[in-house]
DNA sequence: TACATACATTTGTATATACAATTATTGTAG
DNA sequence: CTACAATAATTGTATATACAAATGTATGTA
């Protein structure tokens, strides 16, 4: 991906601006490839993320706030995201008995099985996307991304 | 940004998967900061991108297909994106006389003036986001991003 | 107890986006 | 010259997302 070709700017862009655009373009590509990889499973990236988080709980329930904190996007979606996953029988939702304001969400057996298939499809896509980046470069890339000041 | 904290996974994630998630999280942050920076100008990231591309044309018109190729997102939006920019008097739209199927889009004087202010606000945001990444690191980061296999 | 406040989630609504179908124009094979 | 395909943009529609308001539940305190 050559960011200069896409931008075709005559005026030289600040290195910072170029980097940000570069990251945006990379994200767009990742997003498209991910959507494609998940299409056979009829789930969105967000739904996949919810399943992955729930599996990471190892049987423990997660409530909506927890999901939301760990997720990339915003609260208002989370209720409806979970609604969709319930329809597919990938997760279960129960009211927390200790604190009836809270909702506990679990991944189902079917959800776990499907998630495994999804994760495999994702890994194939990820390896293809990163096939020209060796391990050392990946480590460097992650280190550099860690340096970004992403606080609010 | 520490991706491990957010993921809280017990099982070690493949380095590829971790990198992809890392890029997603970084993008989410960039996206939020950008939306914030552009809020005073009442334009979306996409609208800002259209303006930037049009200015890069240096007076030459761009048709919708050109815009779409250079933009991050899809055709169907472009018509309506331009609609919004016309409402704000930031761009003009005329039918191409040589090929009446084509639509020519120009940035207006007002559009250019506003774009300058937007670009300044964006640069402030970008420098803040990248304040802990020195020039050498930025160059390395861009080189690594170039290695990603983002073809279709 | 009654009230205000905080918390957790849900719902309403407006806007954005993705995908498919449609319209209008141009190019070209027969 | 007509019919058909290709191109460029627009429109319709279903789904997704962002933001604000509303609902239901719990907690602190006078």
């Amino acid at each position: 991906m050559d960011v200069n070709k896409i931008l075709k700017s005559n005026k030289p862009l600040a290195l910072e601006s170029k980097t940000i655009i570069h990251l945006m373009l990379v994200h767009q590509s990742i997003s498209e490839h991910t959507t494609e990889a998940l299409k056979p499973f009829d789930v969105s990236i967000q739904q996949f993320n919810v399943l992955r988080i729930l599996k990471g709980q190892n049987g423990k329930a997660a409530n909506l706030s927890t999901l939301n904190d760990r997720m990339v996007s915003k609260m208002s979606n989370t209720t409806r995201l979970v609604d969709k996953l319930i329809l597919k029988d990938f997760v279960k939702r129960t009211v927390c008995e200790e604190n009836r304001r809270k909702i506990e969400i679990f991944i189902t057996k079917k959800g776990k099985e499907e998630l495994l298939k999804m994760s495999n499809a994702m890994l194939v896509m990820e390896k293809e996307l990163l096939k020209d980046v060796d391990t050392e470069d990946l480590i460097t890339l992650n280190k550099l991304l860690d340096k970004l000041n992403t606080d609010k």
Side-chain angles (χ1 to χ4, degrees), chain A:
Chain A
M1 157 160 314
D2 184 350
V3 75
N4 291 309
K5 265 191 198 159
I6 291 156
L7 292 174
K8 288 193 181 149
S9 183
N10 47 334
K11 234 184 226 174
L13 216 57
L15 185 54
E16 287 91 348
S17 303
K18 183 183 154 179
T19 308
I20 297 291
I21 295 172
H22 212 155
L23 285 165
M24 295 268 216
L25 290 168
V26 161
H27 168 265
Q28 177 66 14
S29 176
I30 292 173
S31 175
E32 282 168 5
H33 283 86
T34 304
T35 302
E36 197 59 35
L38 293 176
K39 197 164 271 175
F41 307 100
D42 192 33
V43 291
S44 66
I45 304 178
Q46 303 280 40
Q47 289 175 31
F48 171 72
N49 280 336
V50 169
L51 289 177
R52 185 156 52 181
I53 292 165
L54 287 175
K55 194 186 150 235
Q57 294 285 99
N58 287 326
K60 273 192 306 176
N63 55 43
L64 275 185
S65 304
T66 310
L67 276 185
N68 196 52
D69 288 348
R70 302 255 191 101
M71 274 196 355
V72 190
S73 76
K74 294 281 146 41
M75 190 64 187
S76 49
N77 311 328
T78 316
T79 299
R80 287 181 269 230
L81 261 178
V82 168
D83 287 345
K84 305 246 170 62
L85 290 170
I86 289 172
L87 282 178
K88 287 167 193 143
D89 196 27
F90 288 170
V91 308
K92 261 191 316 190
R93 169 165 53 191
T94 57
V95 175
C96 172
E97 282 311 315
E98 287 91 65
N99 184 342
R100 296 181 47 76
R101 284 174 300 186
K102 289 189 180 179
I103 296 291
E104 296 185 321
I105 298 146
F106 305 86
I107 188 167
T108 62
K109 186 162 174 294
K110 186 178 172 195
K112 268 185 232 167
E113 287 163 4
E114 288 297 301
L115 178 60
L116 195 62
K117 293 184 212 162
M118 292 174 209
S119 299
N120 287 336
M122 285 286 288
L123 199 54
V124 169
M125 180 276 292
E126 289 161 357
K127 282 187 191 294
E128 174 64 20
L129 211 64
L130 298 173
K131 69 178 177 185
D132 297 329
V133 194
D134 63 29
T135 301
E136 196 194 337
D137 280 348
L138 283 178
I139 292 166
T140 308
L141 178 54
N142 277 288
K143 269 188 195 145
L144 290 173
L145 292 176
D146 275 334
K147 288 191 183 179
L148 265 70
N149 176 235
T150 49
D151 300 335
K152 274 286 154 54

